[in-house]
Every structure is written in C-alpha cells, then in structure tokens.
C-alpha cells in the first residue's frame, strides 16, 4: 500500500498492510488529517520516529480486534490522535496511508449512516471544547498561538472568559480580533492569567508560559496538539496541566458552526493525492486526505 512516512521529510513509499494483534483494529482509511501534531513534526519542533504521518483519521473497520465485540467489521470509527501514552504519527504509525491499525481503546464508533466529511473531522477535533468549558476555572485566559485553533477557541470562550490571544501572524490575526478578544504580540504580553491554552506549533510563541500565570493556574494542552514539555525549573508554585478529552463529534458541531466558511477555505486544504500533502501543508493550517472512494465535502 502507499503511505507517507517521516524520514528526512515526508516520503511517499510502498509498505505492506500492517498486521494486527489481539487488541488492535485494522481499518481502511477514509479521511486522514495532517494537522497541528504533524506541523510540529514538519517544522522540527518534535523529534519523530520513522513512522507513517497523519495524526487523526476516519476509518472503516476491516478486521476488528479479536477480543473486542463492541466494534464489528464494516463499522465507521474515528481514531484519537493521542491514546495510551502514544501519539499517532509521532510515536506510532499514523493514517496517511491506504490502511491503518490502531488500538481498540483509541477509536470512537459512529452511527452507520454517518457521512464522511470535513465538518465531521473538525467537530471531532474541537469536541474537547465541551470538556474545557465544563472544567476551566477563573476569568482571565491567555491563548498562546495564532492559527485556526485560536480562532475557534476565541469564538467559543469569549462570552464566558476574558480572553487574550498572543498572535503575531497577520493572516489570521484580523479574524481573531473580530471575535472581540484582546489580541497582542508576544513582546507586549503583560499580567497574570488563570489559564493558558497552548495551541501554537511550538511552545508558547517563545514565551515562558509559567511566568504569565497566577498561583493555582492551569496550562491547557488540547488533545490534538503536541505533548509539550513544560520545564519544572520555572515552576515554584502549583500549576495544573489539563488535557481535555475528545468526545463524540455531536459535542463539537456547535463550536465549528460558528466559523465562517470562507475562513475555513483559507486555512484548510483537501486532496485525494497523498503526494500533494507535503506541499499543501506549507500554506494551510490543516490538510485533509480523502481516500479515492470518499467524496470531498
């Protein structure tokens, strides 16, 4: 089968269909995402193994786990980027290939009539906002990053919190500012915050995040983002690290419906060709790979 593998960059190669063990599921890839995790690898922020790229996917089960009756052959499932202390596309194989395998604990089963689409993947990716809104305490929130994630969070958090976004990139800066949040450049960051949400490809836009936080504050790392290393040397008080959970896409649809469609076209590309993903990733926040038998929506 064809697959995009991380070597000295992205390489399109022929590899065998992966064998599965008792607790693994073999699936046919319908949609795979080259997203934030992959961008962090591609820019050199994260070291990687020689694995298949692609951090998240929608699959159709071909061979269910031997000891797992809940998932059956032919069913549609979403696969979480990070699961059981492993990250797809970083520590273990991802999904930019014709077929894939994953642990049974990493999948979210969908109704049979679910239609594969970009909105489905976005709703799954941002379903964690539901957990975030139900858990995050305090009033003053700083978002570290300047991308589509920062825009979606600004749209959905600004009515409940005082939100500041650290953003240098002029391309999306105006869209984020239009949500009514305070948008500042890294060199102008002041004050102390109840929580910092890390959505940058690299840690904190070059800032020492901990120094911007109050006592008992929270650092939020979205479940679709890199496993950032927070140095304990600068932590002289209690700082909590919170990784919200991905949930059913049904929880995520209300959050993505607020994004103007023209903005999505600016920051998300879709292709049916694995060979085009590397070049598209230079210009777009995310690249969605649609398998040849899946309609791009």
């Amino acid at each position: 089968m064809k697959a995009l593998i991380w070597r000295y960059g992205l390489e399109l190669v022929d590899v065998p269909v992966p064998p599965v063990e008792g607790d693994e599921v073999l699936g046919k890839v319908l949609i795979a995402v080259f997203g934030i995790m992959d961008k962090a690898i591609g820019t050199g922020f994260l070291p990687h193994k020689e694995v298949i790229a692609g951090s998240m996917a929608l699959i159709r089960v071909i061979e269910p786990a031997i000891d797992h009756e809940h998932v059956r052959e032919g069913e549609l499932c979403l696969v979480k980027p990070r699961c059981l202390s492993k990250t797809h596309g970083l520590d273990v194989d991802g999904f930019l290939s014709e077929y894939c395998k994953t642990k049974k604990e990493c999948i979210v089963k969908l109704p049979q009539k679910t239609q594969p689409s970009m909105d489905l993947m976005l709703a799954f990716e941002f379903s964690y906002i539901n957990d975030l809104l139900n858990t995050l305490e305090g009033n003053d929130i700083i978002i570290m990053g300047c991308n589509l994630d920062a825009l979606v969070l600004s749209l959905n958090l600004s009515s409940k919190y005082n939100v500041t976004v650290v953003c240098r990139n002029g391309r999306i800066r105006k869209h984020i500012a239009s949500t009514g949040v305070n948008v500042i450049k890294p060199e102008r960051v002041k004050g102390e915050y109840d929580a910092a949400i890390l959505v940058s490809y690299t840690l904190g836009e070059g800032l020492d995040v901990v120094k911007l936080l109050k006592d008992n504050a929270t650092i939020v790392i979205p479940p679709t983002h890199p496993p950032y290393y927070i140095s304990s040397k600068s932590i002289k008080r209690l700082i909590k690290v919170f990784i919200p959970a991905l949930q059913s896409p049904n929880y995520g649809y209300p959050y993505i419906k607020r994004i103007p469609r023209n903005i999505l076209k600016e920051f998300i590309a879709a292709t049916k060709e694995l060979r085009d993903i590397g070049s598209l990733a230079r210009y777009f926040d995310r690249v969605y790979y649609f398998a040849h038998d899946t309609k791009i929506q």
Side-chain angles (χ1 to χ4, degrees):
M1 68 174 185
K2 295 291 185 182
L4 270 183
I5 288 185
W6 287 115
R7 286 182 176 163
Y8 296 103
L10 283 174
E11 293 185 22
L12 183 61
V13 298
D14 287 302
V15 296
V17 175
V20 294
E21 299 177 354
D23 62 343
E24 294 177 327
V25 171
L26 178 68
K28 179 175 176 58
V29 175
L30 301 182
I31 304 176
V33 181
F34 188 97
I36 295 295
M37 206 85 69
D38 307 279
K39 297 279 279 192
I41 296 169
T43 55
F45 178 68
L46 289 178
H48 61 85
K49 298 179 181 178
E50 191 171 297
V51 296
I52 297 172
S55 53
M56 190 167 56
L58 171 68
I59 67 171
R60 187 176 298 281
V61 175
I62 294 176
E63 185 178 328
I66 296 172
D67 57 348
H68 192 46
E69 297 180 356
H70 178 62
V71 178
R72 296 181 175 85
E73 181 181 352
E75 290 189 310
L76 289 174
C77 296
L78 290 160
V79 191
K80 302 174 185 178
R82 291 162 65 182
C83 179
L84 301 176
S85 302
K86 297 291 185 180
T87 302
H88 288 111
L90 178 68
D91 306 308
V92 295
D93 281 336
F95 308 108
L96 286 170
S97 55
E98 295 178 63
Y99 300 92
C100 68
K101 70 174 181 178
T102 188
K103 298 287 188 180
K104 63 185 181 184
E105 293 87 355
C106 303
I107 60 177
V108 176
K109 192 170 72 169
L110 297 174
Q112 277 297 319
K113 294 183 179 180
T114 301
Q115 293 297 313
S117 69
M118 188 181 296
D119 280 357
L120 173 69
M121 304 307 292
L122 278 171
F124 182 52
E125 180 175 354
F126 287 107
S127 64
Y128 77 85
I129 296 178
N130 187 67
D131 191 16
L132 184 64
L133 287 169
N134 289 330
T135 308
L136 199 58
E137 298 177 345
N139 296 310
D140 300 312
I141 311 298
I142 188 166
I143 298 173
M144 314 294 292
C146 198
N147 49 27
L148 185 64
D149 301 71
L151 174 60
V152 177
L153 287 166
S154 297
L155 283 166
N156 291 288
L157 269 60
S158 57
S159 61
K160 186 175 180 179
Y161 304 98
N162 299 321
V163 178
T164 297
V165 180
V166 179
C167 182
R168 191 189 295 278
N169 185 342
R171 184 181 174 202
I172 199 168
R173 183 184 174 94
K174 62 180 181 180
H175 298 305
I176 296 173
S178 70
T179 68
V181 303
N182 182 30
V183 183
I184 56 176
K185 295 182 179 180
E187 59 270 19
R188 296 188 178 182
V189 178
K190 294 180 180 179
E192 292 185 322
Y193 298 86
D194 297 300
I197 307 176
L198 308 184
V199 297
S200 174
Y201 301 148
T202 58
L203 181 57
E205 298 289 332
L207 296 171
D208 187 340
V209 177
V210 174
K211 290 183 179 179
L212 299 174
L213 297 176
K214 300 176 184 176
D215 289 343
N216 298 308
T218 302
I219 293 175
V220 179
I221 303 176
T224 54
H225 284 57
Y228 301 101
Y229 173 72
I230 310 296
S231 174
S232 60
K233 293 181 180 179
S234 60
I235 301 179
K236 298 180 180 179
R237 56 194 189 278
L238 180 62
I239 300 292
K240 297 171 286 187
V241 176
F242 173 52
I243 302 176
L246 284 177
Q247 302 176 357
S248 162
N250 291 335
Y251 288 99
Y253 281 117
Y255 305 124
I256 68 163
K257 284 181 178 178
R258 304 183 68 181
I259 313 171
R261 305 307 294 185
N262 62 311
I263 293 178
L264 287 180
K265 291 180 180 179
E266 283 187 57
F267 296 98
I268 299 178
T271 181
K272 286 193 171 186
E273 299 295 337
L274 284 170
R275 66 173 66 90
D276 293 339
I277 290 171
S279 57
L280 288 170
R282 299 175 188 173
Y283 306 103
F284 292 90
D285 230 33
R286 288 159 176 74
V287 181
Y288 287 76
Y289 166 66
F290 285 73
H292 290 282
D293 57 352
T294 305
K295 182 180 180 181
I296 294 179
Q297 296 182 7

